């Protein structure tokens, strides 16, 4: 097989540093394996259920992550670690002083280190959460685009540009959202992005298909990426230079994936028999094989590029000399260094206590010293501690930034039209913000999956422009062809246009909504799409909220009335998404003055990060903030003539207000949400003909109304017998 373009090797790493890295690689592998073993075989297990932890998938990444975190990464670089390499990540952070033994001992338990790296639940400075495979990979691509956006607008210049790195399982490359993201990256001139594919050739259930590397290489090159294939380690390369080495190399490059995995599991004697059977007595190559013991031969055949520190360090250093996106296809062995290496069933396999005892002995670790950072290593503790203190990636400690809040006015202007839909009202309100030279207007960035105009962002885009790193003129405008919309791109534009892929929309919103923490610059992202199509990107939406990204999601049309767009573009079920999704406050206003109140509140809510006890009207999530989801309608309604008082504003935000408060002898209360307001008002009039004190409740947010009721109920259970939600008063 072809091994791709081999970069010229930079100056080799100093022998002293390489020696430290080799010892740390051993320790990282041990700690990752022991963390999983401890969770499954040592700590008390009351229910008897398997805890798991993916020892084999972690082991295949140990060398790659050692090279990255202890040598190649800089503080400004950001990493999405493949989910199953979580124990390796936690082990590295433990050695760097960013993780605790207590968290490792509670791995996959309550308040322990997370099974998959988590920004919101782990203590060890996770850059991007991973878990639902493929999403963290795409996040790095969109984070790189956001970094370009921030810097193009003249912000963040005090920080150096970082590289966005994804550690990717080869089976993870089956995920469709990765391919959708690749196309978007090509459109927007992606830079500063590395994807490192852990090419261990095993998925959860089987060995992967032959030739996948060729498909990956061709795909990435077609999208403008550099591709670096790391197949042969230094031991292999040295053997290839011996007499007979070319024959050995040819056999390795033609060996099927299943056979390579099986021989790896069987060990040196099996390698010897198969190589001699296949190659026959060819003199030089036979002598090459016979000159090595079984142990040495197994070490040679396992010396793939992804397990060879010099090869990895050289490739990373060479790629670091430019800003083009790079895909590294790093050949590895699943379970490398463990007794289950190469076995096709090893994905969910666990070392037995006997195997772990043997592994511990081989590592020189005394019983009871399993968590001791430098136990069993060949170099002095002082040497290793000194090396870790100089690791570039850890030089600045935790790399979570903060950004000042963007001032939000007390009120937003309400359009004066007597008849209006909330969808149209949204566009008008945003356009009014866009007229201003305020910091709020500057920090808003909008995006949509090819539905910009049909979701009423057209006026905003006309005023603020589309974003691109290079100026692209609107040829219709320059040719003087009449057009309602100006489609000009520039580095100062504030709308990022996407193709029709809802997963990309939510992943971009996630990246934009973390800009304050990742790049130290506050952005206020607004994403629009058709409401029924939220389901198509629901996994990425959940992922964005799980990371605590902050954004305003505007979905339209919505409601139970059949809009002119037809049933395919009408939604009735997505309120449940808004109510169920943690970190997302859902609203469905009926009137535009309510919408203006909610939008103003949303721009403030997206920026909150306080921690405080809730009071009667302000439960905890109002202190901590989050993202906001607006379901808007294309149905035109007569707008009420009323004064928006402070009390009414509070009630709108708290989820409901009495349009007609029920009397003391009320027999019926009508409640409505959204676009069916006229029918609800008419129904109250008809009911009032033969029923007394009928009430009319306008529900602006079933989500927040339910939260208020629940908060009041909990307060009553705790002894505050007179506690009530705002709508009960």
């Amino acid at each position: 097989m072809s091994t791709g373009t081999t970069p010229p090797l930079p100056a080799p790493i100093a022998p002293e540093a390489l020696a430290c890295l080799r010892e740390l690689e051993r320790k990282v592998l041990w700690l990752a394996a022991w963390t999983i073993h401890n969770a499954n075989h040592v700590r008390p297990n009351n229910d008897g259920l398997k805890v798991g932890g993916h020892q084999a998938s972690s082991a295949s990444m140990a060398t790659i992550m050692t090279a990255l975190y202890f040598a190649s990464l800089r503080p400004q670089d950001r990493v999405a670690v493949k989910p199953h390499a979580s124990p390796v990540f936690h082990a590295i952070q433990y050695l760097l002083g960013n993780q605790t033994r207590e968290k490792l001992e509670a791995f996959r338990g309550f308040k322990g280190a997370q099974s998959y790296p988590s920004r919101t639940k782990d203590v060890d400075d996770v850059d991007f959460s991973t878990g639902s495979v493929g999403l963290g990979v795409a996040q790095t691509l969109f984070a790189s685009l956001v970094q370009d956006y921030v810097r193009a607008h003249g912000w963040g210049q005090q920080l150096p540009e970082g590289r966005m790195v994804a550690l990717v399982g080869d089976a993870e490359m089956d995920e469709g959202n990765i391919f959708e993201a690749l196309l978007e990256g090509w459109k927007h001139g992606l830079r500063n992005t590395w994807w490192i594919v852990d090419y261990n050739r095993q998925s959860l259930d089987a060995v992967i298909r032959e030739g996948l590397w060729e498909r990956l290489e061709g795909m990435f090159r077609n999208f403008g990426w550099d591709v670096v294939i790391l197949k042969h380690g230094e031991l292999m390369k040295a053997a290839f230079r011996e007499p007979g080495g070319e024959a050995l190399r040819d056999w390795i490059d033609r060996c099927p994936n299943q056979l390579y995995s099986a021989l790896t599991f069987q060990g040196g004697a099996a390698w010897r028999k198969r190589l001699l059977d296949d190659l026959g007595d060819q003199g030089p190559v036979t002598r090459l094989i016979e000159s090595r013991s079984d142990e040495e031969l197994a070490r040679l055949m396992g010396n793939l590029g992804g397990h060879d520190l010099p090869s990895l360090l050289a490739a990373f250093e060479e790629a670091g000399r430019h800003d083009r996106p790079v895909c590294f296809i790093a050949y590895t062995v699943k379970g490398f260094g463990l007794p289950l290496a190469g076995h096709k069933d090893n994905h969910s396999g666990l070392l037995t206590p006997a195997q772990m005892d043997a592994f511990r002995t081989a590592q020189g670790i005394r019983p009871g010293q399993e968590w001791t950072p430098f136990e069993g290593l060949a170099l002095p503790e002082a040497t290793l501690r000194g090396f870790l203190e100089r690791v570039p990636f850890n030089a600045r400690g935790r790399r979570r930034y903060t950004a000042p809040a963007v001032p939000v006015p007390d009120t937003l202007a309400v359009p004066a039209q007597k008849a209006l839909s909330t969808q149209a009202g949204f566009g008008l309100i945003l356009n009014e913000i866009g007229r201003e030279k305020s910091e709020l207007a500057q920090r808003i960035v909008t995006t949509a999956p090819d539905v910009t105009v049909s979701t009423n962002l057209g006026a905003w885009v006309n005023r603020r422009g589309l974003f691109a790193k290079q100026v692209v003129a609107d040829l219709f405008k320059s040719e003087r062809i009449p057009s309602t919309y100006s489609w000009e791109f520039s580095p100062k534009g504030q709308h990022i246009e996407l193709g029709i892929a809802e997963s990309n929309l939510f992943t971009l919103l996630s990246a934009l909504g973390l800009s304050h923490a990742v790049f130290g610059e506050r952005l206020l992202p607004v994403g629009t799409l058709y409401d029924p199509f939220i389901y198509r990107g629901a996994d990425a939406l959940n992922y964005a909220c799980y990371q605590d990204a902050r954004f305003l999601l505007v979905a339209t049309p919505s409601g139970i009335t059949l809009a002119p767009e037809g049933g395919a573009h009408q939604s009735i079920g997505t309120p449940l998404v808004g109510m169920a999704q943690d970190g997302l406050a859902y609203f469905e206003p009926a009137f535009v003055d309510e919408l203006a109140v909610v939008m103003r509140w949303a721009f403030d809510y997206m920026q909150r990060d306080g921690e405080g006890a809730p009071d009667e009207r302000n439960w905890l999530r109002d202190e901590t903030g989050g993202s906001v989801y607006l379901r808007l309608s294309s149905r035109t309604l007569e707008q009420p003539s009323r004064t928006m008082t402070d009390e009414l504003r509070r009630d709108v935000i708290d989820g409901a207000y009495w349009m007609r408060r029920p009397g003391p002898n009320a027999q019926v209360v009508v409640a409505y949400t959204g676009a069916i307001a006229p029918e609800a008002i008419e129904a109250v009039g008809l009911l009032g003909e033969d029923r007394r004190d009928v009430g009319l409740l306008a529900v602006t947010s079933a989500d927040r109304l339910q939260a208020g009721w629940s908060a009041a109920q909990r307060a009553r259970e705790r002894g505050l017998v007179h506690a009530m939600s705002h709508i009960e008063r």
Side-chain angles (χ1 to χ4, degrees), residues 494-686:
Q494 291 180 239
H495 177 78
I496 300 175
E497 182 69 4
L498 297 173
I500 308 173
E502 285 75 14
S503 183
N504 281 346
L505 170 74
F506 291 123
T507 311
L508 175 57
L509 287 174
S510 178
L512 290 165
L514 289 174
S515 179
H516 59 286
V518 175
F519 303 118
E521 294 292 340
R522 178 82 61 182
L523 297 176
L524 298 174
V526 179
T528 65
L529 81 165
Y530 294 165
D531 192 68
F533 301 157
I534 283 180
Y535 288 130
R536 295 179 62 178
D539 193 18
L541 170 61
N542 176 63
Y543 171 69
C545 292
Y546 177 61
Q547 298 208 94
D548 198 25
R550 303 302 179 85
F551 51 87
L552 175 59
L553 174 63
V554 181
T556 180
S558 63
I560 63 172
T561 57
L562 186 63
E565 290 88 348
H569 285 174
Q570 193 70 33
S571 68
I572 58 173
T574 43
L576 299 175
V577 173
M579 295 180 71
Q581 180 60 60
D582 191 27
L584 189 69
Y586 141 63
F587 290 86
E588 190 167 349
F591 301 110
V592 176
D593 61 350
E594 301 167 2
L595 173 62
V597 169
V598 173
M599 287 180 64
R600 185 267 159 209
W601 177 85
F603 287 128
D604 174 70
Y605 182 72
M606 290 157 59
Q607 303 182 70
R608 298 179 189 176
D609 59 2
E611 303 235 355
D615 58 27
E616 289 182 316
R617 302 185 60 86
N618 190 11
W619 48 96
L620 186 58
R621 66 177 182 174
D622 275 10
E623 298 286 339
T624 58
S627 292
V628 180
Y629 164 34
L630 303 183
R631 294 183 78 235
L632 305 183
S633 172
S634 57
R635 187 185 188 193
T636 299
L637 300 183
E638 291 292 326
Q639 299 298 303
S641 297
R642 60 185 175 186
T643 299
M644 183 60 68
T645 65
D646 289 343
E647 181 181 5
L648 182 54
R649 287 191 188 93
R650 289 195 300 269
D651 289 350
V652 166
I653 296 305
D654 284 348
Y657 64 91
W658 290 110
M659 184 168 278
R660 179 173 174 177
R661 186 175 290 276
N665 299 302
Q667 296 175 291
V668 176
V669 171
V670 174
Y672 76 88
T673 294
I676 60 167
E679 286 76 9
I681 293 169
E682 182 180 4
V684 168
L686 293 173

Side-chain angles (χ1 to χ4, degrees), residues 95-418:
L95 293 174
L96 290 174
N98 300 325
Q99 180 60 277
T100 67
R101 173 175 169 175
E102 290 73 24
K103 295 286 187 182
L104 293 183
E105 289 183 315
F107 176 66
R108 287 191 165 212
F110 183 57
K111 293 188 177 181
Q114 293 296 294
S115 54
Y116 307 130
S118 170
R119 279 186 61 85
T120 53
K121 295 183 179 181
D122 276 317
V123 299
D124 45 359
D125 205 18
V126 174
D127 292 319
F128 303 117
S129 300
T130 51
S132 186
V133 292
L135 293 175
V137 182
Q139 176 85 16
T140 60
L141 183 150
F142 286 106
S144 183
L145 298 182
V146 170
Q147 180 176 237
D148 285 346
Y149 178 93
V150 167
R151 298 180 76 86
H153 285 76
W155 304 320
Q157 303 298 322
Q158 74 281 7
L159 299 174
E161 280 189 337
R163 189 172 292 114
M164 306 298 118
V165 181
L167 305 177
V168 192
D170 49 8
E172 195 171 8
M173 291 301 300
D174 291 345
E175 291 288 347
N177 76 287
I178 292 177
F179 299 93
E180 294 175 349
L182 275 175
L183 184 58
E184 211 60 64
W186 170 77
K187 292 178 188 176
H188 290 276
L190 180 68
R191 304 184 307 126
N192 289 320
T193 304
W194 288 0
W195 288 0
I196 303 170
V197 180
D198 175 18
Y199 197 61
N200 60 41
R201 293 167 286 177
Q202 290 183 245
S203 62
L204 275 71
D205 294 328
V207 178
I208 66 172
R209 297 296 177 89
E210 299 297 328
L212 175 63
W213 72 270
E214 294 173 301
R215 306 282 79 77
L216 295 177
E217 180 184 29
M219 176 184 68
F220 279 97
R221 291 198 189 281
N222 285 340
F223 284 117
W225 290 54
D226 289 4
V227 178
V228 177
I229 298 178
L230 296 162
K231 182 167 188 180
H232 308 120
E234 293 298 300
L235 283 178
M236 280 190 177
K237 293 173 187 175
F240 298 159
R241 292 191 290 269
E242 296 179 24
E246 282 302 316
L248 177 63
R249 177 174 183 153
D250 180 66
W251 187 93
I252 289 172
D253 289 347
R254 290 186 294 103
C255 182
N257 292 335
Q258 285 202 58
L259 178 59
Y260 212 97
S261 295
L263 292 171
T264 297
F265 177 73
Q266 291 175 298
W271 278 117
R272 185 182 308 280
K273 182 178 186 307
R274 187 60 187 236
L275 286 168
L276 293 176
D277 287 349
D278 286 359
L279 295 172
D281 188 1
Q282 297 186 30
V285 69
T286 301
R287 286 192 293 275
L288 187 158
I289 296 167
E290 293 289 17
S291 68
R292 289 162 169 83
S293 67
D294 285 351
E295 182 181 350
E296 290 169 335
L297 187 59
R299 188 181 308 117
L300 169 64
M301 300 306 287
N303 180 232
L304 298 172
H307 298 308
D308 189 71
L309 283 168
S311 298
L312 289 164
L313 294 168
F316 294 155
E317 182 172 332
E318 178 63 25
R321 296 175 180 177
H322 60 79
D323 66 358
R324 296 187 300 275
V326 183
C327 173
F328 301 88
I329 300 177
Y331 277 72
T332 61
V333 171
K334 194 165 187 174
F336 182 73
L338 302 178
L340 36 67
H343 197 290
K344 72 179 181 66
D345 298 337
N346 65 13
H347 180 84
S348 58
L350 294 170
L351 269 65
T352 65
Q355 287 175 320
M356 182 56 75
D357 285 343
F359 185 43
R360 172 171 41 205
T361 300
Q363 295 298 311
I365 295 172
R366 295 166 293 172
Q369 300 299 316
E370 292 86 357
W371 300 106
T372 303
F374 304 106
E375 172 77 6
L377 299 184
L379 293 176
E381 179 176 334
T383 300
L384 293 168
R385 285 194 183 277
F387 180 86
L388 290 173
E389 289 171 0
R390 297 188 299 273
V391 166
F393 182 74
N394 206 42
R396 298 181 192 166
R398 288 180 63 83
R399 298 159 306 113
R400 294 281 180 96
Y401 299 117
T402 58
V406 175
V408 179
D410 292 337
T411 59
L412 298 180
V414 179
Q417 287 91 324
K418 292 297 184 183

